[in-house]
């Protein structure tokens, strides 16, 4: 009896030591890195089956990861990334379908980019975002983009980061001054705008040119809540950047003076007021730009003042035209309603629905453009 008790105690000690060892090495509830497939890019698009969607899980192949860690390029014989597709009515079903196709564990804790098809319906997108929010290992910082093209085509295009295509987009979106407009939108920003009354979310839209396979990221996709409404063209997107204070490299040509203004940028301030039941929204925009060229080859203070007035008038006209177009589309990506809610919460609450009031808002734009001569240092 004594021997049996001692043996039990010995086994108990061994078991305790084993459990402690696993917890210290991180192997108790985690898999080693080399047995995981670290998903960097997640694609979401509708499925041919009703009420279902497809999820594309893109992750680096082991040879590509090994070469990248050593600082060398990928092998032309081995694809740098692999795509696994899962389909179902929920994120869990899609994940399980994809997991059954690979021997390594698909790990979602390293997602850096999420691509969303503009053809995805609002109910399906709602379901996806709700499920992603409940994944404990997935944080809310990945960048998002929308596309109207097949995701597998967009996700397979070679870039200057062709070893890891995700790096191209994350580098672009993270660097505000690398774009004409700072269009990067993270998952938490998109979800917050979709859930906040008085503002509609938007996403940068990616398009791949069919003939050249070049990537364009110069447009934004507009959503009303989580329903895709339409896409602004490149010029409208630049104007949107000015209204949001996100513009960095906008250019403007003034035909009358044959003058070119570049690097137009500056802050924008929105004020919203209410008078006798009517809502008034005013955008005050202060811009700076550099005079790149003028037909006279020389410029006077009087000419600069005239160019400033002309440029201000043109940009104010463009901004107002875009605001009116957004009202016709009944989307509020600039957050006029949210601003109104902050200042007049009782009046905002009295509205049955903001989108019934938004098209009636009286819009006005004031632009003050300051032009710096070529060579001026600020």
């Amino acid at each position: 009896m004594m021997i049996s008790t001692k043996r039990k105690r010995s086994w108990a000690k061994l078991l305790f030591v084993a459990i402690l060892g696993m917890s210290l090495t991180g192997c108790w509830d985690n898999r080693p890195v080399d047995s995981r497939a670290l998903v960097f890019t997640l694609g979401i698009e509708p499925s041919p089956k009703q009420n279902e969607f497809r999820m594309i899980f893109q992750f680096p192949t082991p040879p590509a990861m090994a070469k990248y860690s050593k600082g060398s390029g990928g092998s032309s014989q081995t694809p740098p990334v692999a795509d696994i597709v899962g389909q179902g009515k929920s994120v869990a079903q899609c994940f399980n379908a994809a997991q059954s196709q690979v021997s390594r564990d698909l790990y979602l804790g390293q997602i850096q980019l999420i691509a969303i098809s503009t053809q995805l319906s609002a109910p399906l997108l709602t379901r996806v975002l709700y499920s992603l929010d409940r994944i404990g290992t997935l944080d809310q910082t990945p960048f998002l983009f929308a596309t109207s093209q097949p995701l597998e085509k967009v996700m397979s295009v070679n870039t200057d980061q062709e070893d890891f295509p995700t790096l191209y987009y994350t580098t672009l979106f993270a660097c505000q001054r690398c774009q004409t407009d700072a269009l990067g939108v993270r998952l938490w920003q998109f979800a917050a705008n979709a859930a906040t009354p008085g503002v509609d979310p938007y996403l940068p839209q990616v398009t791949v040119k069919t003939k050249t396979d070049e990537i364009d990221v110069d447009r934004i996709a507009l959503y009303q809540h989580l329903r895709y409404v339409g896409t602004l063209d490149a010029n409208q997107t630049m104007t949107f950047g000015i209204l949001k204070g996100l513009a960095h490299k906008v250019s403007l040509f003034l035909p009358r003076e044959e003058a070119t203004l570049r690097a137009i940028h500056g802050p924008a301030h929105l004020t919203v007021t209410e008078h006798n039941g009517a809502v008034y929204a005013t955008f005050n925009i202060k811009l700076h730009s550099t005079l790149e060229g003028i037909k006279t080859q020389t410029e006077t203070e009087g000419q600069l003042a005239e160019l400033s007035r002309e440029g201000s008038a043109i940009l104010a006209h463009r901004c107002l035209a875009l605001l009116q177009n957004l009202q016709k589309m009944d989307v509020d990506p600039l957050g006029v309603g949210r601003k109104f809610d902050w200042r007049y919460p009782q009046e905002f609450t009295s509205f049955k629905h903001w989108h019934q009031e938004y098209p009636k808002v009286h819009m006005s734009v004031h632009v003050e453009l300051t032009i710096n001569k070529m060579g001026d240092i600020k």
Side-chain angles (χ1 to χ4, degrees):
M1 193 69 172
M2 291 274 297
I3 295 175
S4 176
T5 303
K6 287 181 179 180
R7 284 181 179 176
K8 287 181 179 180
R9 289 176 179 175
S10 298
W11 279 111
K13 289 180 180 179
L14 288 173
L15 181 61
F16 174 76
V17 170
I19 293 174
L20 180 61
M22 283 189 290
S23 65
L24 290 175
T25 59
C27 298
W28 177 246
D29 58 356
N30 293 296
R31 293 293 188 104
V33 173
D34 57 1
S35 69
R36 284 178 168 173
L38 304 179
V39 178
F40 281 1
T41 305
L42 192 65
I44 307 163
E45 64 184 358
S47 162
K49 291 187 178 181
Q50 188 176 7
N51 205 33
E52 290 190 2
F53 53 89
R54 300 170 75 246
M55 296 185 72
I56 304 173
F57 302 82
Q58 186 177 88
F59 52 89
T61 57
M65 284 291 287
K67 288 182 174 293
Y68 181 76
S69 64
K70 295 177 182 178
S72 58
S75 170
S76 59
Q77 298 178 351
T78 305
V81 295
D83 291 348
I84 299 297
V85 179
Q87 181 174 310
K89 294 183 178 180
S90 67
V91 170
Q93 287 183 4
C94 293
F95 179 85
N96 290 336
Q99 181 64 78
S100 66
Q101 303 174 50
V102 290
S103 58
R104 291 183 295 152
D105 290 342
L106 293 176
Y107 181 65
L108 305 184
Q110 295 293 328
I111 291 178
Q112 301 171 20
L113 185 70
I114 300 177
I116 297 176
S117 170
T118 57
Q119 300 173 24
L120 198 66
S121 68
L124 287 181
L125 183 54
T126 302
R127 191 187 308 166
V128 168
L129 291 178
Y130 178 75
S131 298
L132 290 178
D133 186 55
R134 294 173 63 86
I135 298 177
T137 56
L138 175 65
D139 61 23
Q140 300 295 308
T141 61
F143 285 106
L144 277 73
F145 73 72
T147 182
S148 59
Q149 297 174 317
L151 290 184
E152 285 166 306
K153 174 183 178 180
V154 175
M155 294 169 64
S156 64
V157 173
N158 289 336
T159 68
D160 57 4
Q161 299 277 2
E162 56 185 63
D163 280 352
F164 300 105
T166 299
L167 294 180
Y168 171 81
Y169 297 102
T170 55
T171 301
L172 178 68
F173 293 142
C175 175
Q176 293 189 352
R177 297 187 180 277
C178 295
Q179 312 162 74
T180 301
D181 302 298
L183 298 179
V185 176
R186 295 187 183 272
L187 176 59
W188 69 267
Q189 294 171 314
F190 184 78
N193 284 344
T196 302
V199 62
D200 290 313
Y202 67 90
L203 290 175
Q205 181 158 323
V206 172
T207 304
V208 178
K209 296 179 181 178
T210 305
K211 295 183 179 179
T212 61
D213 271 355
E214 293 178 351
I215 298 173
D216 279 338
V217 192
D218 59 355
R219 300 163 188 251
I220 59 170
L222 301 173
Y223 289 79
Q224 188 189 88
H225 187 48
L226 290 175
R227 178 177 65 87
Y228 169 71
V229 175
T231 299
L232 298 182
D233 62 31
N235 288 327
Q236 290 174 324
T237 299
M238 284 192 293
T239 305
F240 177 83
I242 291 174
L243 284 164
K244 284 280 289 184
L246 301 175
H248 294 290
K249 297 180 179 179
V250 173
S251 297
L252 177 66
F253 178 68
L254 305 177
R256 188 165 62 87
E257 298 288 344
E258 295 184 17
T260 300
L261 308 180
R262 66 175 180 85
I264 299 174
H265 65 281
H269 181 67
L270 168 63
T271 58
V272 181
T273 58
E274 185 269 343
H275 183 66
N276 293 333
V279 181
Y280 297 83
T282 303
F283 289 82
N284 291 290
I285 307 171
K286 291 188 176 183
L287 300 173
H288 291 271
S289 70
T290 300
L291 178 61
E292 186 176 67
I294 190 170
K295 66 179 179 180
T296 60
Q297 301 302 318
T298 59
E299 64 283 331
T300 65
E301 292 300 322
Q303 284 178 314
L304 289 177
E306 179 59 29
L307 291 175
S308 296
R309 286 191 292 269
E310 185 177 347
S312 298
I314 291 174
L315 293 174
H317 175 75
R318 290 185 182 180
C319 289
L320 185 58
L322 176 60
L323 289 170
Q324 293 170 344
N325 187 44
L326 292 174
Q327 286 183 288
K328 290 179 182 178
M329 298 173 71
D330 200 9
V331 288
D332 186 8
L334 295 161
V336 174
R338 178 173 57 187
K339 193 81 170 184
F340 182 71
D341 183 21
W342 289 348
R343 186 168 182 184
Y344 304 95
Q346 293 183 348
E347 289 80 354
F348 185 84
T349 305
S350 67
F351 293 146
K352 185 176 181 180
H353 199 290
W354 170 243
H355 281 284
Q356 295 178 351
E357 306 297 326
Y358 173 65
K360 307 173 189 175
V361 175
H362 300 271
M363 300 286 190
S364 60
V365 180
H366 300 290
V367 175
E368 181 183 332
L369 176 63
T370 300
I371 300 177
N372 304 312
K373 293 184 293 183
M374 199 68 152
D376 283 357
I377 301 177
K378 288 192 61 183

